[in-house]
Each structure stands twice: as C-alpha cells, then as structure tokens.
Amino acid sequence: TFPDATLALNELNLLASGYFAMPEEGYDMDIKFEAVKADFKSFLSMIPAIYAKDFENVQAKGSLAFTGYVKGLYSDNSMPGFGVNINIADGMFRYPDLPGEFGNVEMQAEVSNATGDPDATIIDVRKFHLEMAGNPVDARLYVSTPVSDPYIDTKIVGKLNLADVGKFYPLDKGDELSGLLDADILAKGKLSAIENKQFDQFKAEGR
C-alpha cells in the first residue's frame, strides 16, 4: 500500500496512491494517479515526434489536468478496469528558431473501461481544437465496442497548408512538404453496417 508514489513518463510526472497485491492467480491493484504539474508542456513530452526534437527548448504555455485509475485483477484471463481524463486549456507551443506556433490548443478527452473487458473500452474526445497560422482544426471522436463491432461518431473540420509545416516543426534536412488539406468530414455508425452493405444505417458525409 502506498500513499504517494511517483512515476515519470518523459517530462510528465505523476503522483499515485493505492495498493498492489500479488495473489496466486495474478496481480490485484487499485491505483489512482494524477499529474503533479498542471502544465501543458509536460503533456507534450508524451508525443514522440516533439520529445525527440529539441524538446528542452520548446516554448509552451497552457494548463493541464490529467487523472486516472487502474482497478482490478490482471491475470491470464482478466484485465483490470481503467480510466484516464485529460483536459488542456489555453495551450500553445512553438520552437524558438521557427516563426510559427501552434496556438489555442484545447482538449477534453476521456478513455474508460469499467470492467477490464477490452470491448468495454470507450474513447470520448469531446473537444479538440488547435490553430496553425490562423487556420483552426476542430475534431471530436466517440468510439465504443472497439473489438466486437466498432461504433464511431466523429467530426473533423480543418485546413492545413503542408508547405507551412516547416514554419512550426523542425523538418529534417532535405525534407520538403507541399499541398493543401481542407477537410469537413462526419461519420457515425457501426462498422458492421458497412460490412453488411447496410449503408442507410451508417451516416457519412462531407468532403
């Protein structure tokens, strides 16, 4: 049993409390955790492409609330339940030697699984927003029953000029990007509806 264990994932420091036991059939646990520092940059360190590129000098601001739990038995026949909540507000980051920045980053997301059954996992990204060179990107995503018959409800709206990526992110020498991405997409329904050609039961529209 522990009241204040610490865990570091790159720059994201977590404080955990609960218990961990080793019965004959596996590992039993009830652990809650939360981010020690409520800053956006610590969360950015979890993104490999950013952490690997001069992360120490990345300029960032914004708040972070990151909490979660793991509860139940891990064994050959069972998985513990789990949940993670992420809230990001007023986020911004930029590389000091580049002119562009990612601004107005907002995210409200939850991943939950009350029973440990992989098919009981629910992914709910209620809000995701960021801006690049004044171009906003907005998205939401809800996924349930991901193993047996994935249900998805998502909407993505955004514009991206690939030629501008080098203004925000340090590309490798010799790399060049070009092209325009302009998307407004909505999809809602179960994968089985598509597989069974019941297209009237799956809503998909946009460009």
Side-chain angles (χ1 to χ4, degrees):
T1 300
F2 48 92
D4 56 357
T6 58
L7 174 67
L9 302 172
N10 291 344
E11 300 298 319
L12 180 62
N13 295 308
L14 302 175
L15 180 67
S17 61
Y19 74 81
F20 184 88
M22 293 184 288
E24 291 184 5
E25 65 273 23
Y27 305 97
D28 189 29
M29 65 199 78
D30 185 356
I31 303 169
K32 295 180 180 180
F33 56 86
E34 63 179 327
V36 175
K37 295 174 62 178
D39 66 75
F40 176 48
K41 186 175 181 179
S42 62
F43 181 77
L44 282 176
S45 74
M46 299 298 294
I47 303 174
I50 296 177
Y51 191 64
K53 290 270 190 164
D54 195 24
F55 182 77
E56 187 176 300
N57 293 318
V58 169
Q59 300 171 354
K61 66 178 182 178
S63 64
L64 167 73
F66 185 94
T67 61
Y69 74 91
V70 182
K71 183 176 182 179
L73 181 69
Y74 175 80
S75 69
D76 292 339
N77 302 311
S78 65
M79 293 283 289
F82 61 87
V84 175
N85 279 278
I86 305 170
N87 281 275
I88 296 169
D90 302 319
M92 179 281 295
F93 71 97
R94 67 184 301 270
Y95 286 85
D97 296 330
L98 298 177
E101 71 176 32
F102 293 84
N104 292 324
V105 181
E106 307 276 343
M107 188 167 88
Q108 298 173 8
E110 179 181 4
V111 180
S112 61
N113 184 313
T115 65
D117 178 358
D119 203 35
T121 302
I122 294 175
I123 302 170
D124 187 4
V125 182
R126 294 181 291 277
K127 179 180 182 180
F128 177 81
H129 175 87
L130 65 80
E131 297 175 12
M132 297 176 289
N135 291 323
V137 176
D138 288 279
R140 62 172 172 79
L141 171 67
Y142 182 89
V143 178
S144 62
T145 57
V147 178
S148 62
D149 186 7
Y151 171 83
I152 184 172
D153 182 356
T154 185
K155 183 174 177 63
I156 303 171
V157 180
K159 295 181 179 181
L160 174 62
N161 184 343
L162 295 177
D164 287 339
V165 171
K167 299 177 182 179
F168 306 97
Y169 182 77
L171 300 177
D172 291 333
K173 186 177 180 179
D175 285 351
E176 293 183 3
L177 298 174
S178 63
L180 298 172
L181 173 64
D182 186 356
D184 186 345
I185 301 169
L186 183 148
K188 183 177 182 180
K190 291 186 176 182
L191 180 62
S192 60
I194 297 176
E195 294 174 340
N196 297 325
K197 299 184 179 180
Q198 298 170 325
F199 301 119
D200 60 317
Q201 297 181 24
F202 192 97
K203 184 177 181 181
E205 60 187 35
R207 55 181 175 82

